[in-house]
């Protein structure tokens, strides 16, 4: 099975398994796991922040960040398709009790004017007590629902500056920030500089088994540790998995460009298949989203799965495929062949099943 559902489907390498097996461990809840502490220090240093806290998942680091920055009833600004807003099971409402204020981003990227428009213009005749006070602005880089889109550094800095003009704290969902750096050469620290806090994931881009880090000022991270524990994130001998993350930081981060090349190869091949719409130039990192013109995404995904290719439908007519270090060029070519077959085997939308031309 060629599994392109997500880069979270990667498997630990033999070398990663070895360092995990022999990791020095303690009890993370008591703060004495030396491998967790080494990971937190390394990530804080890479991102240019004072401190970091390691948690089981990127969803948890994002949700803890929102909870630590806000109080119930506050408003938080997100892109309309942000992961923390639409793909974390309503956590911002359930855990933090905040009011989402969506921004009209294009592939996840919005402007200072968008921020200004959501905040509005205060006037002395309008009571300040009738609207939820905006406290936090969240960005995502790279942007999952945007197809792995990367924020230009200038646009990112302009958007966060707009937030600060309105007195907002800033948080970056940088689950795949490593990919933005690999694609552009802009360091993680330069991307992180505009933000109070940043979340980075070890189990997506880097291929570790689990875990994410939330970085920021030392006093913020200290408060975040309380919510980590409250949300059930205290995991005892966590050095076993932190060792895998440390290994990935050192050995896998330099290889992320390989996954971008695979995604580009895949996008170029998709553009040659009848019934698919995609602009290969829009693929900026390791995520490829493409549209089907006259067959249903669910049907194509099912047909492809029967033939040995696993992908995710993304709405009625679109599909997502994600590339990671386990995937090879041969996998890409085989996937393209299977997709063409799956389209041929799928009924046209609103028509009886019929044979189709096309291929890679």
């Amino acid at each position: 099975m060629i599994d392109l559902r997500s880069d979270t489907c990667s498997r630990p390498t033999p070398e990663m398994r070895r360092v995990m097996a022999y990791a020095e461990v303690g009890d993370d809840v008591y703060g004495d796991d030396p491998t967790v502490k080494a990971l937190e220090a390394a990530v804080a240093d890479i991102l240019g922040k004072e401190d970091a806290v390691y948690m089981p998942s990127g969803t948890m680091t994002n949700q803890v960040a929102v909870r630590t920055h806000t109080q119930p009833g506050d408003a938080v600004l997100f892109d309309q398709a942000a992961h923390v807003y639409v793909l974390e099971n309503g956590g911002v409402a359930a855990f933090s009790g905040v009011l989402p204020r969506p921004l009209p981003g294009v592939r996840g990227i919005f402007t200072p004017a968008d921020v200004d428009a959501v905040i509005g213009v205060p006037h002395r005749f309008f009571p300040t007590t009738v609207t939820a006070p905006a406290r936090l602005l969240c960005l995502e880089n790279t942007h999952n629902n945007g197809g792995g889109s990367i924020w230009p550094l200038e646009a990112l800095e302009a958007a966060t500056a707009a937030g600060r003009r309105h007195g907002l704290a800033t948080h970056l969902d940088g689950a795949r920030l490593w990919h933005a750096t690999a694609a552009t050469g802009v360091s993680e620290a330069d991307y992180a500089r505009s933000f109070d806090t940043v979340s980075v994931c070890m189990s997506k881009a880097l291929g570790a088994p689990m875990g994410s880090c939330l970085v920021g000022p030392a006093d913020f991270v200290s408060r975040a540790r309380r919510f980590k524990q409250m949300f059930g994130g205290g995991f005892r001998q966590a050095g076993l998995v932190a060792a895998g993350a440390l290994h990935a930081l050192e050995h896998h981060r330099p290889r992320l460009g390989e996954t971008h090349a695979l995604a580009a190869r895949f996008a170029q091949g998709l553009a040659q298949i009848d019934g698919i719409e995609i602009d290969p130039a829009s693929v900026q990192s390791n995520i490829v989203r493409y549209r089907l013109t006259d067959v249903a995404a669910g049907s194509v995904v099912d047909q492809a799965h029967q033939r040995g290719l696993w992908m995710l439908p993304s709405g009625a007519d679109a599909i997502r495929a994600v590339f990671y270090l386990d995937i090879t060029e041969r996998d890409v070519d085989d996937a393209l062949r299977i997709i063409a077959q799956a389209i041929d085997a799928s009924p046209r939308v609103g028509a009886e099943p019929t044979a189709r031309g096309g291929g890679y």
Side-chain angles (χ1 to χ4, degrees), residues 11-84:
R11 304 295 179 90
T13 63
E15 294 81 6
M16 185 182 290
R17 291 177 184 271
R18 179 181 59 78
V19 299
M20 291 170 65
Y22 293 100
E24 187 178 2
V25 300
D27 191 320
D28 176 62
V29 173
Y30 291 117
D32 60 9
D33 188 303
T35 307
V36 169
K37 292 167 75 172
L39 174 64
E40 292 171 342
V43 174
D45 181 65
I46 290 169
L47 292 168
K49 301 298 184 184
E50 288 182 353
D51 201 359
V53 52
Y54 183 48
M55 302 188 203
S57 73
T59 293
M60 182 172 283
T61 48
N62 279 336
Q63 294 302 323
V64 167
V66 172
R67 181 64 188 89
T68 309
H69 277 297
T70 64
Q71 293 296 327
D74 289 346
V76 180
L77 280 61
F78 307 98
D79 168 65
Q80 60 190 347
H83 191 284
V84 66

Side-chain angles (χ1 to χ4, degrees), residues 156-235:
L156 181 149
E157 290 176 338
T160 53
R164 287 192 295 275
R165 284 199 303 272
H166 294 289
L168 306 182
T170 54
H171 172 69
L172 175 64
D173 176 0
R176 295 182 175 90
L177 182 63
W178 320 109
H179 276 292
T181 291
T184 65
V186 176
S187 73
E188 292 92 348
D190 284 342
Y191 277 126
R193 187 167 294 116
S194 294
F195 296 91
D196 298 302
T197 58
V198 181
S199 167
V200 288
C201 190
M202 310 300 170
S203 64
K204 294 186 175 72
L206 297 182
M210 64 178 290
S212 291
C213 283
L214 175 62
V215 304
D219 57 349
F220 180 95
V221 171
S222 178
R223 175 169 163 79
R225 291 182 186 278
R226 174 198 174 194
F227 294 113
K228 170 190 173 180
Q229 189 70 19
M230 182 187 294
F231 291 3
F235 49 168

Side-chain angles (χ1 to χ4, degrees), residues 317-328:
D317 64 353
I319 295 175
R320 185 188 84 161
V322 187
F323 295 84
Y324 47 100
L325 294 177
D326 298 32
I327 303 299
T328 66

